[in-house]
Amino acid sequence: MVTTAERVAPLRVKDLKSGIKPIWCPGCGDYGILSSFFQAIINLKLDPAKVAVVSGIGCSGRFPAFARVYGFHGVHGRALPTATGLKVARPDLTVFAMSGDGDAFSIGGGHIAHAARRNVDITYIVMDNEIYGLTKGQPSATSPPDILELSLSGKTKGSRKGMVGLLDIHKVEEALNPILMALAYNASFVARAFSGRPKELTAIIEEGVRHKGFSFIQVMSPCVTFFNTYNHFRETVVPLPEDHDPSDRMRAMALAMEPNKTYVGIFYRDETRPSLEERLEEYRQQLSPTSMEELLARFTR
Amino acid sequence: MSNESLVIRIGGEAGEGIVTIGETLVRIAAFSGLEVFTFRTYPAEIIGGQVMYQARIGREQVLSMGDDVDILVAANQLGHDEHIGELRPGGLLVYDSDAVTPAEGGDHLSYAVPFTQLAREINFLRGRNLIVVGFLTSLMGLPLDRAEQMVRRRLGKYKELLPSNLEALHKGYTHHQEHFAERPEFQIRPPEDGGEERLVMTGAQAIALGALAAGCRFYAGYPITPATDIMEFLSKELPRMGGTIIQAEDEIAAVTMAIGASFGGVKAMTATSGPGLALMIEALGLASMTEVPLVIVDAQRAGPSTGMPTKTSQGDLFLALYAGADEAPRFVLAPDSVEDSFYQMINAFNLAERFQMPVILLSDQAMATRVETIRPIDLSQIHQEKRRIPSLDRPEGNGYLRYALTEDGISPMAIPGMPGMTYTAEGLEHDESGAPSYVPEVHRAMTEKRFRKVETARKELHRWGLVNRWGDPQAEIAILSWGSTQSAVREAMERAAKEGILVEALFTKILLPMPDYEIRPFLEGKRAIIVPELNYQGMFAKVIEHRYSEQIIRNNIQVYRLNKYEGLPFKPGEIYAKIVEVAQRLTAGVLADRFLDEKLASV
Ligand SMILES: Cc1ncc(C[n+]2csc(CCOP(=O)(O)OP(=O)(O)O)c2C)c(N)n1
Ligand code: SF4
């Protein structure tokens, strides 16, 4: 396919910046994810020309434009299938998919089960701010039911209120537990990180890329403008227990269900499952190759 | 004496092998050197329900499914009751005397054949279908050795079943020989020389083969009748050609997967029907905006919502032409036969690659499922358009502009992996580099750029062979249409010519952009145009009336719509009747009920 020149000099962060200044609000959690993403690429010694980032729509969706890698900014909720098509067509690329929580769990929620089931080798980073940022503060599937009270209580320092009516009526719904969902879907790599703890985040992204299969990473990424949860996460974020064995899916589920704790780390990983591209290649290898001539001959009388 | 063509229809319960009988018979005929053209209906039920399989078999190229039925085979009572009205006077009814009580009277011959009883005699109840095939082989004067060969071919590796199957075939064959006289009016003799070289395939297979020949190596789709046949065929062959196929979780996933693959540099497509295309429309806009080549096939079916999944229609024309948020340029192609489906798929991929745009190809249920004998395909004549890519020898980081504003609108597209050319395919409005931009001048320039590609295409299209024009250029009556109505129109015109009515027809295989360079000269000298379509609104007629209004009004051309919306294709007789009516009106000086200028005034 396409040949790439070997890189000689080690990459620096500035080599990875596209030159387009992020449009994110100052202090937005998404900056932390972008930095960790750069650092992970450097640490993994990836060739930026062989990296592709596919995103959906939202503040989070703007991500690819800021990085000097191949990017695809698609439609709302479809980062996963777009990335899946790209990865199976071009297994030589390192493919990331990026979504916000609305993009991932609401409009695009139907795709996660299938990416997990297929175990396509992409690293899926959900930049979860528990609110719709771009559209100015509606509740999302991960918003706590009492999101309006929290906003008004002053605990979410500096936040604007967002759309009060929608945030208020959100109390009639329950929030989704994305980690539990990903575990139930049997994603082969399930992790959580906090954009306020960049070292762990970088390490988790690296592990996600190294993992040959579908890596689901929920990154708590506060929206300072509409739901500033930095203080909340600084208080509740704790590393997973040291004795947690990431091959233990039941324990991972139990940990994901623990109330009042935001565990960060790798909940689950299964390195034994081949990826979709590997399986497709294996499938192809078992077939006898054919040609147009041979196919047409079959229809000739 | 032998016939030039015969129409045979088989009606009965689905799952009883009606389709197998039809498909086997058709292949015996085709492989004996005859030409075939089939039409079938499907039951709505999963198991059971009535099916009908009709085959027109001819010594020369068969143009359409024909009008009346020469031979009706009724496998059950409903198969008799539903179709007996379409048997022509003097036709032949063959019925299973163990299952059917025929109506009294009727101006036709009747053969009672105890097919079920015969199957019992050889202790092979499931052999009934082949007994029918054997019977029909003898009745129609088809060669027995070809029939045996076809049975062998169908069984493939299940050789142990061969003796019992051949016995069933022979049972039916000899039953006819021993109990019924030879009747030339129901025979169709294959040409001595075995006929010209032909391929025998369905429209869906032609689409799939066309895609493969065009270089398609990625397919994602979600099952939907009648497009699934394309996916099923490709699931077997695409991996063998080194490609990839994925059954997606829905149509939105299917189309975005194809876009992802195409962004990665691999030719990609999806196929669906109207409801699926409706779901894909947002992503169609994405492909248009990000300028990613994409091919979407729509095998149209009848009705909005779930409608009539197993019936045919041409009602997705507006959806294909116009659907989407704001303005998203695209191409729309429409093959007009099974054979043409192959070639238009190649055009579809070539247009997509050349112009980095989505292409919708409109087929329909009747054309996708029917079997046709088509002329041989010369693979050496097939051209594969190469995507325009940036030259690799530029210094790294030297400001590659993915969406460079060029004269023809086409900008070189880097493929991921190319060093120094990273960019973001941007679904937001963007500047030349791909950076998001809402600057008014940028949106204006980029909108013009995207549409400029259509204008560039317009200039090139005359070279793509996208129009089918035939008949008498002196004719004052014209038929202007698209898609699968072509077959009935062609045959109706032959009948009209025999009656001395001159007609000229033009079928365009490209509907967006319209081939003005062909249609404008075609309309000159015409006094009436008939636009037959399988939809209620006369969608194509509206397009024509609107686009060529000036010429139509200036030349006082009357536009006659002929719309059928029953889920069934046109019969040649229906088109012929309209031709006669229009011809009479022209001679009598009676004008069309509705004039375009009146209509425009009343809008
Ligand atoms: C089909 C469609 N529906 C709705 C929208 C409007 N929209 C844009 S972003 C968004 C939600 C963004 O929230 P989230 O995914 O959480 O991302 P964030 O902005 O918080 O990063 C919505 C509803 C759209 N762009 N497309
Ligand atoms: S609105 Fe919220 S999520 Fe969006 S950029 Fe601002 S802080 Fe970030």
Side-chain angles (χ1 to χ4, degrees), chain A residues 217-245:
Chain A
I217 306 174
Q218 179 195 19
V219 184
M220 307 320 300
S221 177
C223 169
V224 288
T225 302
F226 294 110
F227 190 42
N228 187 348
T229 48
Y230 268 116
N231 284 342
H232 167 74
F233 285 119
R234 286 207 183 94
E235 280 159 25
T236 58
V237 159
V238 279
L240 282 164
E242 256 172 48
D243 66 346
H244 175 53
D245 168 9

Side-chain angles (χ1 to χ4, degrees), chain A residues 24 28 30 56-62 74-78 99-107 126-136 138-142 221 223, chain B residues 282:
Chain A
W24 294 320
C28 173
D30 293 354
I57 299 296
C59 297
S60 44
R62 294 296 196 109
V75 282
H76 197 20
R78 317 301 164 192
S99 287
D101 38 309
D103 198 75
F105 306 132
S106 288
I107 191 166
V126 182
M127 305 157 76
D128 187 355
N129 52 17
E130 304 180 317
I131 197 154
Y132 286 10
L134 189 73
T135 46
K136 302 200 169 19
Q138 304 81 22
S140 85
T142 52
S221 177
C223 169
Chain B
E282 186 194 17

Side-chain angles (χ1 to χ4, degrees), chain A residues 22-51:
Chain A
I23 46 102
W24 294 320
C25 310
C28 173
D30 293 354
Y31 284 102
I33 303 179
L34 186 63
S35 302
S36 286
F37 169 80
F38 287 152
Q39 203 51 54
I41 290 191
I42 292 168
N43 295 352
L44 290 162
K45 299 192 170 57
L46 297 178
D47 174 356
K50 303 272 269 180
V51 174

Side-chain angles (χ1 to χ4, degrees), chain A residues 1-5 7 20 47-55 57 61-90 92-93 107 110-115 117-118 134 276 280-281 283-285 287-301, chain B residues 29-35 153 194-201 205 209 212-213 218 233 235-237 239-250 252-253 256-261 263-266 282-283 286 290 292 342 373 377 379 392 396-397 414-428 433 435-436 438:
Chain A
M1 199 147 275
V2 185
T3 55
T4 343
R7 297 198 63 92
I20 298 174
D47 174 356
K50 303 272 269 180
V51 174
V53 181
V54 179
S55 67
I57 299 296
R62 294 296 196 109
F63 194 101
F66 311 137
R68 198 179 287 277
V69 295
Y70 281 93
F72 192 100
H73 187 191
V75 282
H76 197 20
R78 317 301 164 192
L80 275 183
T82 313
T84 300
L86 176 59
K87 180 66 188 181
V88 297
R90 290 290 307 279
D92 58 315
L93 302 176
I107 191 166
H111 302 302
I112 300 174
H114 304 282
R117 199 170 58 72
R118 296 186 181 111
L134 189 73
L276 177 63
L280 283 168
E281 186 51 30
Y283 184 83
R284 269 190 291 264
Q285 293 302 329
L287 302 172
S288 55
T290 188
S291 64
M292 272 325 288
E293 287 77 7
E294 194 182 297
L295 286 180
L296 289 181
R298 211 196 294 158
F299 291 90
T300 309
R301 73 179 178 198
Chain B
F31 281 77
S32 314
L34 292 162
E35 307 281 323
R153 234 178 128 122
E196 286 171 62
E197 195 186 335
R198 288 285 182 272
L199 303 173
V200 188
M201 65 179 69
Q205 288 165 338
L209 287 165
L212 291 174
F218 182 90
F233 180 86
S235 70
K236 293 180 197 135
E237 309 308 340
R240 299 179 64 205
M241 302 278 283
T244 302
I245 180 158
I246 297 189
Q247 182 180 319
E249 55 270 31
D250 57 40
I252 300 175
T256 49
M257 281 178 188
I259 291 172
F263 167 72
V266 174
E282 186 194 17
L286 174 68
T290 51
V292 171
F342 177 88
T373 29
I377 290 165
L379 289 171
L392 263 177
E396 199 165 317
I415 307 298
M418 289 178 142
M421 230 95 55
T422 53
Y423 77 97
T424 291
E426 184 55 74
L428 291 170
S433 73
Y438 296 172

Side-chain angles (χ1 to χ4, degrees), chain B residues 28-29 32 34 137 141-148 173 188-190:
Chain B
I28 293 169
S32 314
L34 292 162
T137 303
L142 297 171
L144 180 63
D145 57 338
R146 286 287 166 179
E148 290 168 346
Y173 192 86
I188 180 133
R189 293 267 177 220

